[in-house]
Amino acid sequence: RRDGSLGAAAAALQRALAEQAASLGGLLKAGVAPVACAVLPEGLAVPVCLEYALAVGEEASEPSARPLRERLHAQLGLPLDRPLLRTCNALGGGGGGGAPAYLLRSPHEGLAPSGLAGGVISLVQGEYEYYHY
């Protein structure tokens, strides 16, 4: 619905944010933490962005995400004999170096310009964490 009202847009945004916060709170109370990362498996030309719901304190092999990783391996044509889609394989060191594991570190590094007409290229010095609100 478009009524052109800035107040209506702000109210809709506020409701959506409240729903997301409640959903996140429910996950955390259940002992589950959302984890996002970008990986660049050998053989792929572009990074793959992943989002997992992992048990808090789950071991490094991330067993709860294995079925999803296996499906993604099949869809992307990746071999099943190597764990290419674990969060420890994330670009930027797998969440190491001080950044929380759920943040993407310098996700646009190494990407070619999009070629979008009117697009603007901006430079950032050093690494950065990407917060998706």
Side-chain angles (χ1 to χ4, degrees), residues 40 45-47 91 106-116 119-123:
L40 184 56
V46 295
L91 297 174
S106 302
H108 302 98
E109 185 175 88
L111 295 179
S114 68
L116 181 68
V120 177
I121 296 176
S122 300
L123 297 177

Side-chain angles (χ1 to χ4, degrees), residues 86-100:
R86 288 189 184 160
T87 58
C88 63
N89 298 334
L91 297 174

Side-chain angles (χ1 to χ4, degrees), residues 2-105:
R2 293 184 166 205
D3 62 7
S5 166
L6 183 58
L13 178 60
Q14 186 176 15
R15 282 192 303 276
L17 290 172
E19 289 172 10
Q20 288 179 4
S23 176
L24 178 59
L27 284 174
L28 294 175
K29 286 179 184 173
V32 177
V35 178
C37 66
V39 296
L40 184 56
E42 185 177 325
L44 294 184
V46 295
V48 177
C49 295
L50 306 168
E51 185 175 315
Y52 299 126
L54 301 176
V56 173
E58 187 167 356
E59 64 179 272
S61 67
E62 302 166 349
S64 66
R66 184 176 181 150
L68 174 58
R69 285 196 318 267
E70 288 175 346
R71 283 194 306 275
L72 291 171
H73 270 255
Q75 290 172 347
L76 296 169
L78 298 172
L80 292 174
D81 63 344
R82 286 175 278 165
L84 300 173
L85 302 177
R86 288 189 184 160
T87 58
C88 63
N89 298 334
L91 297 174
Y102 57 85
L103 296 179
L104 299 177
R105 182 178 285 265

